[in-house]
């Protein structure tokens, strides 16, 4: 759409404050009448002032050029100068959109539209870093320490990529995303990059829901002018029911390998339960809610714990001394300590499960997380109804499964147990 107005920011040199600064105003130029007007455009509680020298560095001369007069980027500023530059860039985005509107007829209309535009969303922040910080705080408040750490790692990586400069939601463009991906791939795997991009997408999507302007330029998705998050190389690998039986039948005097076997079997027989959920189990508990989806799923699906002699023996070997079923964490541990202990346990189990795989002649890639993949694969191969599988995994994406939460689980339990390699006394030889 053809512009009827242009604008730029300038210092009002007629009004010097006691601290040597001047108010920053917007100069609006009417192309049809060739007239200019200066206006104050900031709210009373957020005035923008700067010295002449600072204004030149933070705005007038902010770009860096090469020998061909091509823009290489922006100069680095810090503190209050960075805040002012960021605020002016945010304002510039809004003015750029406003000056193309058909209903704007005068210079005054431009500024009034801007003030109305700002006031319509007074609590919205354009700062991507702030969006990350708020998300990380929410996660920590909900004791989701591992996920909070993931978002913190992404925030740190983006901050380093931007060399510490301000970062607005309007800066998250297709071009920026491609540039970030290209640079990030040099130091991390595709899987790690994908985590960064999913975290960033979540933050941007949340902001776009509050801003019509951001929603129109939302960069993620499918299509020519959208950014598609690369697929990781990791695969949901599993071990067969026969190999699972080998693990269950393992007899060893190596207490550490026994520990690896026990936790893997407990996870597998409980639908691939992750280690955090195992660690948080309390004595007497008969069902659990996946911590991974506790704060994100629209509907919480309790998952029934499996109970049999194999699992009873495992619990007896690793029983906790306090309220928790296992001896991974203690009663008075805070969220950060709990996550640290779980991470340490995960590392220890990883080594022992690898050793066990070597002894049994199973794929050397075997790891604790294969329990969930193996469970899903084996019950599916056994012909268990897909709705029942979804239910036992605690999934809520299939709406039709929600009506069968109570009935299907009990109805399919014997078939699921058989598929898992759990045999009643006397039946093992026949199979």
């Amino acid at each position: 759409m053809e512009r009827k107005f242009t604008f730029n920011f300038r210092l009002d040199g007629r009004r010097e404050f006691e601290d040597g600064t001047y108010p920053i105003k917007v100069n609006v130029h009417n192309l049809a009448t060739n007239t200019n007007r200066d206006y104050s455009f900031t709210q009373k509680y957020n005035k923008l002032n700067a010295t002449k020298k600072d204004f030149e560095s933070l705005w007038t001369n902010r770009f860096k050029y090469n020998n061909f007069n091509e823009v290489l980027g922006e100069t680095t500023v810090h503190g209050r100068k960075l805040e002012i530059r960021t605020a002016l860039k945010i304002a510039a985005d809004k003015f750029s959109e406003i000056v193309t509107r058909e209903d704007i007829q005068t210079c005054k209309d431009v500024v009034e539209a801007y003030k109305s535009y700002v006031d319509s969303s007074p609590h919205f922040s354009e700062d991507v870093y702030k969006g990350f910080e708020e998300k990380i705080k929410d996660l920590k408040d909900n004791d989701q320490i591992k996920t909070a750490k993931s978002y913190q790692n992404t925030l740190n990586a983006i901050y380093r990529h931007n060399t510490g400069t301000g970062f607005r939601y309007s800066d998250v463009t297709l071009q920026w995303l491609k540039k970030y991906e290209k640079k990030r791939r040099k130091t991390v795997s595709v899987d790690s990059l994908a985590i960064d991009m999913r975290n960033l997408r979540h933050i941007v999507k949340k902001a776009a829901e509050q801003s019509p302007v951001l929603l129109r330029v939302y960069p993620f998705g499918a299509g020519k002018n959208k950014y598609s998050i690369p697929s990781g190389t990791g695969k949901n690998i599993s071990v067969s029911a026969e190999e699972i039986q080998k693990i269950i039948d393992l007899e060893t005097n190596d207490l550490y390998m026994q520990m690896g076997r026990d936790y893997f079997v407990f996870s597998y027989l409980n639908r691939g339960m992750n280690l955090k959920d195992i660690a948080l189990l309390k004595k007497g508990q008969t069902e659990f809610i996946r911590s991974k989806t506790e704060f994100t799923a629209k509907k919480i699906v309790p998952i029934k714990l499996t109970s049999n002699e194999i699992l009873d023996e495992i619990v007896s070997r690793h029983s906790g001394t306090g309220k928790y079923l296992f001896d991974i964490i203690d009663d008075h541990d805070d969220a950060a300590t709990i996550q640290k202990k779980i991470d340490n346990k995960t590392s220890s189990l990883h080594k022992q499960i690898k050793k066990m795989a070597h002894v049994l002649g199973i794929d050397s890639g075997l790891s604790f997380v294969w329990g969930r993949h193996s469970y899903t694969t084996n019950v599916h191969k056994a012909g268990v109804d897909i709705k029942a599988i979804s239910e036992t995994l605690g999934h809520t994406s299939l709406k039709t499964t929600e009506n069968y939460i109570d009935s299907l689980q009990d109805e399919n339990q014997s078939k699921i147990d058989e598929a898992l390699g759990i045999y009643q006394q006397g039946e093992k030889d026949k199979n």
Side-chain angles (χ1 to χ4, degrees):
M1 186 177 295
E2 186 178 354
R3 288 173 175 258
K4 294 183 290 184
F5 300 88
T6 60
F7 68 91
N8 64 70
F9 300 114
R10 58 179 293 275
L11 285 182
D12 184 354
R14 301 168 300 173
R15 296 181 56 202
E16 183 178 5
F17 297 117
E18 292 182 0
D19 60 359
T21 63
Y22 300 85
I24 300 174
K25 292 191 174 183
V26 62
N27 178 269
V28 182
H29 178 67
N30 188 323
L31 295 174
T33 61
N34 196 30
T35 55
N36 296 275
R37 290 289 303 274
D38 286 343
Y39 296 92
S40 295
F41 64 96
T42 54
Q43 298 98 329
K44 291 180 180 179
Y45 53 83
N46 191 28
K47 291 291 185 182
L48 298 178
N49 308 323
T51 64
K52 292 180 179 180
K53 182 179 179 181
D54 284 350
F55 187 74
E56 286 183 1
S57 64
L58 71 87
W59 192 253
T60 308
N61 300 321
R62 67 187 182 279
F63 294 118
K64 295 186 291 186
Y65 299 88
N66 61 16
N67 294 333
F68 300 98
N69 205 35
E70 297 171 329
V71 176
L72 297 176
E74 293 184 343
T75 59
T76 302
V77 291
H78 302 283
R80 180 57 179 164
K81 288 199 287 186
L82 175 58
E83 292 177 7
I84 295 173
R85 177 185 285 180
T86 302
L88 291 178
K89 290 168 77 172
I90 293 169
D93 285 344
K94 293 180 171 63
F95 277 119
S96 294
E97 189 270 331
I98 290 169
V99 296
T100 64
R101 294 181 189 173
E102 290 290 343
D103 60 325
I104 302 298
Q105 300 298 321
T106 67
C107 293
K108 187 176 181 179
D109 288 344
V110 173
V111 178
E112 291 300 320
Y114 174 84
K115 291 180 177 179
S116 175
Y117 190 99
V118 173
D119 291 341
S120 64
S121 54
H123 302 297
F124 176 70
S125 170
E126 295 257 10
D127 189 346
V128 177
Y129 300 145
K130 184 177 179 180
F132 267 98
E133 289 166 356
E134 290 175 349
K135 177 66 177 179
I136 292 166
K137 182 179 183 301
D138 287 343
L139 289 168
K140 288 182 177 179
D141 287 346
N142 287 317
D143 293 340
Q144 294 177 275
I145 306 301
K146 188 173 183 179
T147 307
K149 184 177 180 181
S150 172
Y151 274 86
Q152 184 66 59
N153 290 338
T154 299
L155 171 58
N156 293 344
I158 292 173
Y159 189 80
R160 287 193 300 269
H161 174 80
N162 290 333
T163 62
T165 59
F167 193 41
R168 304 161 300 154
Y169 287 106
S170 52
D171 291 328
V172 188
T173 62
L174 177 61
Q175 292 72 26
W176 185 93
L177 291 166
K178 287 183 175 180
K179 185 177 180 181
Y180 178 81
E181 176 183 330
K182 183 178 180 180
K183 185 175 181 180
R184 190 78 166 128
R185 279 202 184 203
K186 294 178 180 178
T187 57
V188 300
S189 67
V190 177
D191 296 299
S192 296
L193 170 66
I195 291 172
D196 278 353
M197 292 308 198
R198 286 194 295 270
N199 289 345
L200 177 59
R201 180 180 63 186
H202 175 84
I203 299 299
V204 174
K205 185 177 181 180
K206 185 177 179 181
E209 291 171 352
Q210 304 175 58
S211 169
V213 172
L214 289 180
L215 193 59
R216 287 198 294 271
V217 296
Y218 182 70
F220 295 93
K224 184 178 180 181
N225 297 315
K226 295 291 184 179
Y227 178 80
S228 179
I229 296 176
S231 300
T233 56
K235 297 180 179 179
N236 292 344
I237 307 174
S238 63
V239 288
S240 67
E242 292 76 16
E243 291 171 319
I244 289 293
Q245 196 62 50
K246 278 186 177 183
I247 296 173
I248 292 175
D249 293 340
L250 174 67
E251 294 183 4
T252 177
N253 293 322
D254 186 332
L255 296 181
Y256 294 105
M257 188 188 298
Q258 180 75 52
M259 176 186 69
R261 174 266 186 195
D262 286 351
Y263 278 102
F264 183 88
V265 171
F266 189 92
S267 169
Y268 175 78
L269 297 184
N270 278 288
R271 298 89 169 98
M273 193 176 189
N274 71 43
L275 191 59
K276 181 175 182 179
D277 291 332
I278 292 175
L280 292 174
L281 286 176
K282 295 178 181 178
K283 294 173 180 177
Q285 196 170 326
T286 59
E287 61 182 21
F288 73 99
I289 295 170
R290 294 186 71 208
S291 57
K292 188 175 181 179
T293 58
E294 184 177 2
F295 299 102
T296 58
K298 293 182 180 179
K299 181 173 183 177
I300 300 299
V301 182
I303 303 174
K304 185 178 179 180
L305 285 168
T306 300
S307 177
N308 55 54
E309 291 183 3
I310 297 172
L311 297 180
D312 289 344
E313 289 179 3
I314 291 173
V315 171
S316 68
R317 279 193 289 270
H318 308 283
S319 179
T321 57
K323 65 182 179 181
Y324 291 109
L325 188 63
F326 287 94
D327 59 353
I328 301 175
I329 58 177
D330 297 312
D331 289 3
H332 302 296
D333 288 341
D334 59 21
T337 303
I338 287 173
Q339 188 58 55
K340 184 177 181 179
K341 287 185 175 181
I342 291 172
D343 289 342
N344 290 339
K345 194 71 170 182
T346 299
S347 178
S348 177
L349 290 177
H350 178 76
K351 296 176 183 176
Q352 299 310 317
I353 290 172
K354 295 288 184 189
K355 186 192 299 184
M356 176 182 70
H358 176 73
V359 170
L360 296 177
I362 297 174
D363 191 318
S364 61
L366 180 66
S367 69
F368 185 83
V369 296
W370 282 28
R372 188 168 178 83
H373 310 326
S374 301
Y375 165 81
T376 307
T377 301
N378 292 333
V379 294
H380 183 260
K381 285 182 178 179
V384 177
D385 187 86
I386 190 66
K387 294 184 178 68
I389 297 174
S390 177
E391 177 186 305
T392 58
L393 290 172
H395 290 166
T396 59
S397 57
L398 295 176
K399 292 184 179 180
T400 53
T401 64
E402 295 175 0
N403 298 324
Y404 295 89
I405 289 175
D406 295 325
S407 60
L408 290 182
Q409 194 160 2
D410 293 334
E411 188 175 275
N412 287 277
Q413 188 62 51
S414 60
K415 195 171 184 180
I416 290 174
D417 286 347
E418 182 179 349
L420 292 174
I422 304 173
Y423 302 94
Q424 299 297 325
Q425 186 67 33
E427 292 184 348
K428 183 174 178 179
D429 293 337
K430 292 188 293 183
N431 289 278

